[in-house]
Amino acid sequence: MFDTLTDSFTSAIKKIRFHDDDKALTKALGELKKNLLKADVNHKVVKELIADVQVLTKEKGIGKDQFLEALRETLYKLLEVGGNKGFTFAPNPPTTILMTGLQGSGKTTTTGKLATYLKNKQKKVLIVAADLQRLAAVEQLRQITTQIEVELYEDEATKNPVEVVKAAMEYANSKIFDVVLIDTAGRLAIDDELMDELENVKKAASPDEIFYVADSLTGQDAIRTATSFKEKIGIDGVILSKYDGDSKGGVALGLSSQVQVPLRFIGSGEKMEDLEVFLPERIVNRLMG
Ligand code: GDP
């Protein structure tokens, strides 16, 4: 999944020749910088990463091993924002998650993927159809939940997502679900109406966490919209969707530090199994080879 980024790192690392001097370090850093920018990592993130690796390598003593160690530590620091731990269960079930995102970002599909991930962990999951803006969203969830054999809460009688969520939460508490995933409405762009609706749904659900689904194909826009959602309703994690179609892949590297919210999962395909937990240690190991 991180093939492009891994290639960038390994090709940068391969070209590094150290003869224990400053010039070699400058060259190595230049090579790394070029590759990271090519992979579409945000330029500010690249600048900071390069500066940190430089300082840390000098502290350790200039040499290839020290450089690689400095790079590994800096990368880990970059990705490890706010204890990046995949899915976190609340002490008292159900763990309630509000799934948010712009229309077309992959929010509904990702809700199904997350339910699959949890079901595979033997958790009893309820999906709540609270996206009542997009006509096909409820039907899409019906198909997904039938396919993955997860229960769906829906109410065709109302167009008010707050009513649906309130009733769904009562239902979830009475039936003892482990996790409730609420699929909320998205729009093509962020506007006050969308944010007001989300704010009301948030109040009704009292979620343990709010996830924002960001489309990696929108590049730095994914970062901007995630930041906007964070400022307006508060988000606890980002799920980066459509990573399989992202030929550069650098967004994943800068996201946590740019938005200051942990990247929790990565979506890498249209199938329900195509979701991977984003664990910094594992990613750094992969990138460093
Ligand atoms: P929503 O409007 O945000 O709920 O978006 P949908 O869940 O309907 O997804 C929009 C499109 O993106 C659908 O065709 C999905 O199959 C597709 N999609 C979602 N996630 C991924 C992913 O990780 N990879 C790929 N290739 N397609 C995805």
Side-chain angles (χ1 to χ4, degrees), residues 102-110 113 134 140 241-244 267-270 274:
L102 292 179
Q103 217 172 78
S105 63
K107 176 175 48 58
T108 305
T109 310
T110 305
K113 287 182 187 180
R134 190 163 64 91
Q140 192 182 348
S241 65
K242 308 186 196 175
Y243 201 63
D244 51 312
S268 58
E270 292 187 88
D274 297 332

PDB file of all heavy atoms in Angstrom, residues 102-110 113 134 140 241-244 267-270 274, ligand 1:
ATOM      1  N   LEU A 102     -17.067  14.730   3.371  1.00  0.00           N
ATOM      2  CA  LEU A 102     -17.770  15.369   2.260  1.00  0.00           C
ATOM      3  C   LEU A 102     -18.375  14.302   1.356  1.00  0.00           C
ATOM      4  O   LEU A 102     -17.940  13.146   1.365  1.00  0.00           O
ATOM      5  CB  LEU A 102     -16.804  16.249   1.459  1.00  0.00           C
ATOM      6  CG  LEU A 102     -16.293  17.494   2.191  1.00  0.00           C
ATOM      7  CD1 LEU A 102     -15.327  18.271   1.299  1.00  0.00           C
ATOM      8  CD2 LEU A 102     -17.456  18.390   2.623  1.00  0.00           C
ATOM      9  N   GLN A 103     -19.380  14.717   0.585  1.00  0.00           N
ATOM     10  CA  GLN A 103     -20.035  13.770  -0.325  1.00  0.00           C
ATOM     11  C   GLN A 103     -19.020  13.198  -1.319  1.00  0.00           C
ATOM     12  O   GLN A 103     -18.215  13.955  -1.864  1.00  0.00           O
ATOM     13  CB  GLN A 103     -21.113  14.512  -1.089  1.00  0.00           C
ATOM     14  CG  GLN A 103     -22.339  13.674  -1.337  1.00  0.00           C
ATOM     15  CD  GLN A 103     -23.453  14.501  -1.925  1.00  0.00           C
ATOM     16  OE1 GLN A 103     -23.440  14.796  -3.113  1.00  0.00           O
ATOM     17  NE2 GLN A 103     -24.406  14.897  -1.111  1.00  0.00           N
ATOM     18  N   GLY A 104     -19.065  11.910  -1.482  1.00  0.00           N
ATOM     19  CA  GLY A 104     -18.161  11.281  -2.453  1.00  0.00           C
ATOM     20  C   GLY A 104     -16.808  10.914  -1.869  1.00  0.00           C
ATOM     21  O   GLY A 104     -15.978  10.300  -2.541  1.00  0.00           O
ATOM     22  N   SER A 105     -16.587  11.276  -0.606  1.00  0.00           N
ATOM     23  CA  SER A 105     -15.268  11.011   0.001  1.00  0.00           C
ATOM     24  C   SER A 105     -15.062   9.516   0.267  1.00  0.00           C
ATOM     25  O   SER A 105     -13.934   9.058   0.412  1.00  0.00           O
ATOM     26  CB  SER A 105     -15.127  11.782   1.316  1.00  0.00           C
ATOM     27  OG  SER A 105     -16.094  11.316   2.247  1.00  0.00           O
ATOM     28  N   GLY A 106     -16.172   8.799   0.324  1.00  0.00           N
ATOM     29  CA  GLY A 106     -16.067   7.371   0.624  1.00  0.00           C
ATOM     30  C   GLY A 106     -16.578   7.064   2.021  1.00  0.00           C
ATOM     31  O   GLY A 106     -16.338   5.984   2.568  1.00  0.00           O
ATOM     32  N   LYS A 107     -17.311   7.990   2.603  1.00  0.00           N
ATOM     33  CA  LYS A 107     -17.783   7.870   3.989  1.00  0.00           C
ATOM     34  C   LYS A 107     -18.660   6.633   4.208  1.00  0.00           C
ATOM     35  O   LYS A 107     -18.435   5.875   5.149  1.00  0.00           O
ATOM     36  CB  LYS A 107     -18.540   9.151   4.354  1.00  0.00           C
ATOM     37  CG  LYS A 107     -19.163   9.155   5.720  1.00  0.00           C
ATOM     38  CD  LYS A 107     -19.771  10.498   6.018  1.00  0.00           C
ATOM     39  CE  LYS A 107     -20.637  11.041   4.883  1.00  0.00           C
ATOM     40  NZ  LYS A 107     -21.759  10.143   4.504  1.00  0.00           N
ATOM     41  N   THR A 108     -19.657   6.450   3.344  1.00  0.00           N
ATOM     42  CA  THR A 108     -20.582   5.323   3.519  1.00  0.00           C
ATOM     43  C   THR A 108     -19.858   3.986   3.339  1.00  0.00           C
ATOM     44  O   THR A 108     -20.027   3.062   4.138  1.00  0.00           O
ATOM     45  CB  THR A 108     -21.759   5.459   2.529  1.00  0.00           C
ATOM     46  OG1 THR A 108     -22.344   6.747   2.723  1.00  0.00           O
ATOM     47  CG2 THR A 108     -22.814   4.404   2.760  1.00  0.00           C
ATOM     48  N   THR A 109     -19.039   3.912   2.308  1.00  0.00           N
ATOM     49  CA  THR A 109     -18.261   2.692   2.070  1.00  0.00           C
ATOM     50  C   THR A 109     -17.347   2.416   3.269  1.00  0.00           C
ATOM     51  O   THR A 109     -17.241   1.277   3.744  1.00  0.00           O
ATOM     52  CB  THR A 109     -17.384   2.862   0.801  1.00  0.00           C
ATOM     53  OG1 THR A 109     -18.216   3.331  -0.250  1.00  0.00           O
ATOM     54  CG2 THR A 109     -16.713   1.576   0.404  1.00  0.00           C
ATOM     55  N   THR A 110     -16.703   3.466   3.761  1.00  0.00           N
ATOM     56  CA  THR A 110     -15.777   3.319   4.885  1.00  0.00           C
ATOM     57  C   THR A 110     -16.508   2.875   6.151  1.00  0.00           C
ATOM     58  O   THR A 110     -15.965   2.104   6.957  1.00  0.00           O
ATOM     59  CB  THR A 110     -15.012   4.647   5.133  1.00  0.00           C
ATOM     60  OG1 THR A 110     -14.373   5.021   3.912  1.00  0.00           O
ATOM     61  CG2 THR A 110     -13.965   4.501   6.212  1.00  0.00           C
ATOM     62  N   LYS A 113     -16.738  -0.685   5.838  1.00  0.00           N
ATOM     63  CA  LYS A 113     -15.424  -1.315   6.030  1.00  0.00           C
ATOM     64  C   LYS A 113     -15.067  -1.384   7.509  1.00  0.00           C
ATOM     65  O   LYS A 113     -14.541  -2.383   7.991  1.00  0.00           O
ATOM     66  CB  LYS A 113     -14.342  -0.491   5.315  1.00  0.00           C
ATOM     67  CG  LYS A 113     -14.352  -0.581   3.809  1.00  0.00           C
ATOM     68  CD  LYS A 113     -13.189   0.246   3.302  1.00  0.00           C
ATOM     69  CE  LYS A 113     -13.188   0.370   1.798  1.00  0.00           C
ATOM     70  NZ  LYS A 113     -12.052   1.182   1.345  1.00  0.00           N
ATOM     71  N   ARG A 134     -28.425  12.535   0.876  1.00  0.00           N
ATOM     72  CA  ARG A 134     -28.150  11.858  -0.389  1.00  0.00           C
ATOM     73  C   ARG A 134     -29.138  10.701  -0.513  1.00  0.00           C
ATOM     74  O   ARG A 134     -29.136   9.785   0.319  1.00  0.00           O
ATOM     75  CB  ARG A 134     -26.709  11.343  -0.398  1.00  0.00           C
ATOM     76  CG  ARG A 134     -26.242  10.837  -1.739  1.00  0.00           C
ATOM     77  CD  ARG A 134     -24.720  10.747  -1.766  1.00  0.00           C
ATOM     78  NE  ARG A 134     -24.196   9.791  -0.812  1.00  0.00           N
ATOM     79  CZ  ARG A 134     -23.972   8.507  -1.088  1.00  0.00           C
ATOM     80  NH1 ARG A 134     -24.247   8.023  -2.275  1.00  0.00           N
ATOM     81  NH2 ARG A 134     -23.477   7.708  -0.170  1.00  0.00           N
ATOM     82  N   GLN A 140     -27.715   2.326  -0.251  1.00  0.00           N
ATOM     83  CA  GLN A 140     -26.324   1.856  -0.300  1.00  0.00           C
ATOM     84  C   GLN A 140     -25.964   1.131   1.005  1.00  0.00           C
ATOM     85  O   GLN A 140     -25.351   0.059   0.981  1.00  0.00           O
ATOM     86  CB  GLN A 140     -25.420   3.079  -0.488  1.00  0.00           C
ATOM     87  CG  GLN A 140     -23.981   2.749  -0.842  1.00  0.00           C
ATOM     88  CD  GLN A 140     -23.143   4.026  -0.954  1.00  0.00           C
ATOM     89  OE1 GLN A 140     -23.683   5.137  -0.982  1.00  0.00           O
ATOM     90  NE2 GLN A 140     -21.845   3.876  -1.009  1.00  0.00           N
ATOM     91  N   SER A 241      -9.312   7.701   2.635  1.00  0.00           N
ATOM     92  CA  SER A 241      -9.887   6.719   1.700  1.00  0.00           C
ATOM     93  C   SER A 241      -9.214   6.821   0.334  1.00  0.00           C
ATOM     94  O   SER A 241      -8.486   7.788   0.060  1.00  0.00           O
ATOM     95  CB  SER A 241     -11.383   6.976   1.551  1.00  0.00           C
ATOM     96  OG  SER A 241     -11.584   8.232   0.938  1.00  0.00           O
ATOM     97  N   LYS A 242      -9.449   5.827  -0.478  1.00  0.00           N
ATOM     98  CA  LYS A 242      -8.989   5.775  -1.880  1.00  0.00           C
ATOM     99  C   LYS A 242      -7.470   5.870  -2.024  1.00  0.00           C
ATOM    100  O   LYS A 242      -6.968   6.410  -3.008  1.00  0.00           O
ATOM    101  CB  LYS A 242      -9.674   6.888  -2.700  1.00  0.00           C
ATOM    102  CG  LYS A 242     -11.196   6.876  -2.562  1.00  0.00           C
ATOM    103  CD  LYS A 242     -11.844   7.875  -3.478  1.00  0.00           C
ATOM    104  CE  LYS A 242     -13.277   8.136  -3.064  1.00  0.00           C
ATOM    105  NZ  LYS A 242     -13.917   9.172  -3.826  1.00  0.00           N
ATOM    106  N   TYR A 243      -6.774   5.365  -1.039  1.00  0.00           N
ATOM    107  CA  TYR A 243      -5.318   5.433  -1.075  1.00  0.00           C
ATOM    108  C   TYR A 243      -4.748   4.573  -2.207  1.00  0.00           C
ATOM    109  O   TYR A 243      -3.650   4.816  -2.687  1.00  0.00           O
ATOM    110  CB  TYR A 243      -4.751   4.996   0.279  1.00  0.00           C
ATOM    111  CG  TYR A 243      -3.347   5.477   0.530  1.00  0.00           C
ATOM    112  CD1 TYR A 243      -3.057   6.829   0.613  1.00  0.00           C
ATOM    113  CD2 TYR A 243      -2.297   4.576   0.666  1.00  0.00           C
ATOM    114  CE1 TYR A 243      -1.774   7.278   0.828  1.00  0.00           C
ATOM    115  CE2 TYR A 243      -1.007   5.013   0.893  1.00  0.00           C
ATOM    116  CZ  TYR A 243      -0.747   6.364   0.969  1.00  0.00           C
ATOM    117  OH  TYR A 243       0.534   6.807   1.182  1.00  0.00           O
ATOM    118  N   ASP A 244      -5.541   3.573  -2.612  1.00  0.00           N
ATOM    119  CA  ASP A 244      -5.111   2.703  -3.707  1.00  0.00           C
ATOM    120  C   ASP A 244      -4.988   3.470  -5.023  1.00  0.00           C
ATOM    121  O   ASP A 244      -4.214   3.107  -5.903  1.00  0.00           O
ATOM    122  CB  ASP A 244      -6.089   1.534  -3.885  1.00  0.00           C
ATOM    123  CG  ASP A 244      -7.540   2.004  -3.977  1.00  0.00           C
ATOM    124  OD1 ASP A 244      -7.960   2.816  -3.125  1.00  0.00           O
ATOM    125  OD2 ASP A 244      -8.253   1.574  -4.896  1.00  0.00           O
ATOM    126  N   GLY A 267      -8.036   3.497   3.749  1.00  0.00           N
ATOM    127  CA  GLY A 267      -8.869   2.711   2.851  1.00  0.00           C
ATOM    128  C   GLY A 267      -8.124   2.504   1.542  1.00  0.00           C
ATOM    129  O   GLY A 267      -7.587   3.444   0.974  1.00  0.00           O
ATOM    130  N   SER A 268      -8.097   1.248   1.082  1.00  0.00           N
ATOM    131  CA  SER A 268      -7.257   0.984  -0.079  1.00  0.00           C
ATOM    132  C   SER A 268      -7.981   0.174  -1.147  1.00  0.00           C
ATOM    133  O   SER A 268      -7.393  -0.683  -1.784  1.00  0.00           O
ATOM    134  CB  SER A 268      -6.012   0.231   0.368  1.00  0.00           C
ATOM    135  OG  SER A 268      -6.435  -0.962   1.004  1.00  0.00           O
ATOM    136  N   GLY A 269      -9.282   0.417  -1.303  1.00  0.00           N
ATOM    137  CA  GLY A 269     -10.003  -0.298  -2.345  1.00  0.00           C
ATOM    138  C   GLY A 269     -11.496  -0.223  -2.098  1.00  0.00           C
ATOM    139  O   GLY A 269     -11.937   0.331  -1.084  1.00  0.00           O
ATOM    140  N   GLU A 270     -12.266  -0.767  -3.030  1.00  0.00           N
ATOM    141  CA  GLU A 270     -13.724  -0.661  -2.905  1.00  0.00           C
ATOM    142  C   GLU A 270     -14.339  -1.793  -2.090  1.00  0.00           C
ATOM    143  O   GLU A 270     -15.491  -1.733  -1.705  1.00  0.00           O
ATOM    144  CB  GLU A 270     -14.344  -0.595  -4.303  1.00  0.00           C
ATOM    145  CG  GLU A 270     -13.983   0.705  -5.022  1.00  0.00           C
ATOM    146  CD  GLU A 270     -14.729   0.860  -6.319  1.00  0.00           C
ATOM    147  OE1 GLU A 270     -15.846   1.399  -6.284  1.00  0.00           O
ATOM    148  OE2 GLU A 270     -14.191   0.438  -7.358  1.00  0.00           O
ATOM    149  N   ASP A 274     -10.981  -3.805   2.456  1.00  0.00           N
ATOM    150  CA  ASP A 274      -9.873  -2.915   2.098  1.00  0.00           C
ATOM    151  C   ASP A 274      -9.708  -1.739   3.067  1.00  0.00           C
ATOM    152  O   ASP A 274      -9.845  -0.567   2.691  1.00  0.00           O
ATOM    153  CB  ASP A 274     -10.072  -2.377   0.666  1.00  0.00           C
ATOM    154  CG  ASP A 274     -10.043  -3.481  -0.363  1.00  0.00           C
ATOM    155  OD1 ASP A 274      -9.385  -4.500  -0.099  1.00  0.00           O
ATOM    156  OD2 ASP A 274     -10.656  -3.328  -1.427  1.00  0.00           O
TER     157      ASP A 274
HETATM  158  P1  GDP B   1     -19.876   9.062   0.372  1.00  0.00           P
HETATM  159  O1  GDP B   1     -20.682   9.983  -0.501  1.00  0.00           O
HETATM  160  O2  GDP B   1     -18.791   9.806   1.089  1.00  0.00           O
HETATM  161  O3  GDP B   1     -20.678   8.220   1.287  1.00  0.00           O
HETATM  162  O4  GDP B   1     -19.064   8.115  -0.626  1.00  0.00           O
HETATM  163  P2  GDP B   1     -19.256   6.583  -1.018  1.00  0.00           P
HETATM  164  O5  GDP B   1     -19.016   5.703   0.159  1.00  0.00           O
HETATM  165  O6  GDP B   1     -20.512   6.403  -1.760  1.00  0.00           O
HETATM  166  O7  GDP B   1     -17.998   6.395  -1.983  1.00  0.00           O
HETATM  167  C1  GDP B   1     -17.857   7.067  -3.202  1.00  0.00           C
HETATM  168  C2  GDP B   1     -17.123   6.158  -4.181  1.00  0.00           C
HETATM  169  O8  GDP B   1     -15.791   5.954  -3.729  1.00  0.00           O
HETATM  170  C3  GDP B   1     -17.745   4.782  -4.311  1.00  0.00           C
HETATM  171  O9  GDP B   1     -17.731   4.404  -5.677  1.00  0.00           O
HETATM  172  C4  GDP B   1     -16.830   3.887  -3.492  1.00  0.00           C
HETATM  173  O10 GDP B   1     -16.805   2.554  -3.953  1.00  0.00           O
HETATM  174  C5  GDP B   1     -15.504   4.572  -3.715  1.00  0.00           C
HETATM  175  N1  GDP B   1     -14.527   4.308  -2.642  1.00  0.00           N
HETATM  176  C6  GDP B   1     -14.673   4.497  -1.316  1.00  0.00           C
HETATM  177  N2  GDP B   1     -13.537   4.174  -0.656  1.00  0.00           N
HETATM  178  C7  GDP B   1     -12.666   3.749  -1.594  1.00  0.00           C
HETATM  179  C8  GDP B   1     -11.294   3.285  -1.542  1.00  0.00           C
HETATM  180  O11 GDP B   1     -10.638   3.201  -0.498  1.00  0.00           O
HETATM  181  N3  GDP B   1     -10.721   2.963  -2.752  1.00  0.00           N
HETATM  182  C9  GDP B   1     -11.398   3.054  -3.928  1.00  0.00           C
HETATM  183  N4  GDP B   1     -10.764   2.726  -5.050  1.00  0.00           N
HETATM  184  N5  GDP B   1     -12.664   3.504  -4.000  1.00  0.00           N
HETATM  185  C10 GDP B   1     -13.287   3.835  -2.853  1.00  0.00           C
END
